[in-house]
Amino acid sequence: SASTSDRSPAEEVNAVWQKYKAPLESIYLYYAYLFDFSKSRATIGRSEFNKFVRDVRAFDVLSDSGVNHPDLIFMRVHQLSKSAESVLGEEEETEEGKIVHPERMEFGRGEFQTALVLLAESLYGHRVDLPQAQRLELFLLSDVFPNAKSQSFISEECTELDDDEVRDMLKDDKKTLRKTFDLFSTRYASKREHAAVRLTFRALSEMLKFYELHTTV
């Protein structure tokens, strides 16, 4: 494989994404569903973005800078996005074209990476002694990971299922569990899928709300 010195700046930045892929995905999902746990697509809007910037303790600094105000960075990310059309909110037709209200703008995972780069440059762009990838990593290690909140995940290895009592309980309640699954998977099935094939994210969310479990998980 090519040595670090042989990589282009873009490859160096991509290496940072790969290195911290898991924790960044966890952080992204937390903020994507922060204000609407039941939405069908993981996207970050203006409110979620500003909350993220506040959590990493960069909002006040950037707000005072003027040109790097968080709202301007958010707008810049949206403008730079090649896939923005797929996640746009409400639009208005004008003589000059379509205008998207800031409060309706959203972006996905790729744009979140762009936002992190812009934030890193806004905070550490003065560190000309470091290449861009290292400024990005400095931002992640100094500001993002210590302060940003993240969505916890259940381990793939669930030891509780190896417990005989748990296994017997699931077996005893198999019919009830099956009926519950069929009910919610059918009621909230995607139009592109056959009903009762699988539990969509929205169906799971509604089921948790129905049984009043959404505040405890």
Side-chain angles (χ1 to χ4, degrees), residues 62-100:
L62 295 178
S63 295
D64 293 339
S65 70
V67 67
N68 291 321
H69 191 284
D71 282 342
L72 295 179
I73 292 179
F74 179 78
M75 297 282 287
R76 205 173 305 155
V77 171
H78 196 269
Q79 292 171 353
L80 291 173
S81 171
K82 294 181 180 179
S83 59
E85 292 297 328
S86 64
V87 293
L88 289 183
E90 293 183 1
E91 300 174 337
E92 277 189 1
E93 287 284 356
T94 67
E95 294 181 357
E96 299 179 353
K98 292 181 178 180
I99 296 179
V100 185

Side-chain angles (χ1 to χ4, degrees), residues 101-142:
H101 296 292
E103 294 298 336
R104 299 293 182 179
M105 292 180 179
E106 297 177 328
F107 57 69
R109 287 172 174 80
E111 293 76 42
F112 183 59
Q113 292 181 350
T114 301
L116 291 176
V117 170
L118 292 179
L119 288 171
E121 289 301 303
S122 299
L123 294 173
Y124 296 103
H126 64 282
R127 291 293 305 272
V128 294
D129 57 311
L130 299 176
Q132 185 183 50
Q134 289 186 27
R135 292 196 293 268
L136 173 61
E137 188 167 25
L138 176 63
F139 172 56
L140 295 178
L141 296 178
S142 301

Side-chain angles (χ1 to χ4, degrees), residues 1-209:
S1 60
S3 63
T4 301
S5 60
D6 295 331
R7 293 173 177 170
S8 67
E11 289 173 331
E12 285 291 324
V13 170
N14 187 60
V16 174
W17 298 136
Q18 294 303 314
K19 182 177 181 180
Y20 300 108
K21 183 177 181 179
L24 285 174
E25 174 70 4
S26 180
I27 290 171
Y28 174 79
L29 288 176
Y30 175 85
Y31 289 95
Y33 290 108
L34 180 61
F35 298 117
D36 186 0
F37 189 73
S38 64
K39 64 182 180 181
S40 60
R41 187 169 185 173
T43 54
I44 289 180
R46 183 184 181 186
S47 297
E48 292 90 346
F49 180 71
N50 282 339
K51 181 64 168 66
F52 167 77
V53 177
R54 288 183 186 280
D55 285 348
V56 299
R57 303 176 184 177
F59 192 90
D60 291 339
V61 174
L62 295 178
S63 295
D64 293 339
S65 70
V67 67
N68 291 321
H69 191 284
D71 282 342
L72 295 179
I73 292 179
F74 179 78
M75 297 282 287
R76 205 173 305 155
V77 171
H78 196 269
Q79 292 171 353
L80 291 173
S81 171
K82 294 181 180 179
S83 59
E85 292 297 328
S86 64
V87 293
L88 289 183
E90 293 183 1
E91 300 174 337
E92 277 189 1
E93 287 284 356
T94 67
E95 294 181 357
E96 299 179 353
K98 292 181 178 180
I99 296 179
V100 185
H101 296 292
E103 294 298 336
R104 299 293 182 179
M105 292 180 179
E106 297 177 328
F107 57 69
R109 287 172 174 80
E111 293 76 42
F112 183 59
Q113 292 181 350
T114 301
L116 291 176
V117 170
L118 292 179
L119 288 171
E121 289 301 303
S122 299
L123 294 173
Y124 296 103
H126 64 282
R127 291 293 305 272
V128 294
D129 57 311
L130 299 176
Q132 185 183 50
Q134 289 186 27
R135 292 196 293 268
L136 173 61
E137 188 167 25
L138 176 63
F139 172 56
L140 295 178
L141 296 178
S142 301
D143 304 283
V144 176
F145 295 148
N147 301 306
K149 297 178 175 59
S150 60
Q151 176 64 53
S152 60
F153 293 96
I154 299 175
S155 171
E156 293 181 3
E157 297 181 2
C158 189
T159 57
E160 288 81 359
L161 294 181
D162 292 329
D163 188 283
D164 289 337
E165 292 185 8
V166 174
R167 191 181 295 108
D168 290 339
M169 180 188 68
L170 293 175
K171 186 181 297 184
D172 293 339
D173 294 329
K174 184 176 181 180
K175 289 184 179 180
T176 301
L177 292 172
R178 183 69 212 186
K179 287 181 180 179
T180 302
F181 176 87
D182 289 342
L183 172 64
F184 285 92
S185 60
T186 301
R187 181 178 299 176
Y188 300 100
S190 169
K191 294 180 180 179
R192 294 172 295 179
E193 298 175 344
H194 294 293
V197 172
R198 65 179 182 178
L199 202 67
T200 63
F201 185 85
R202 183 188 175 194
L204 175 61
S205 176
E206 293 298 330
M207 184 182 71
L208 294 176
K209 288 180 181 179

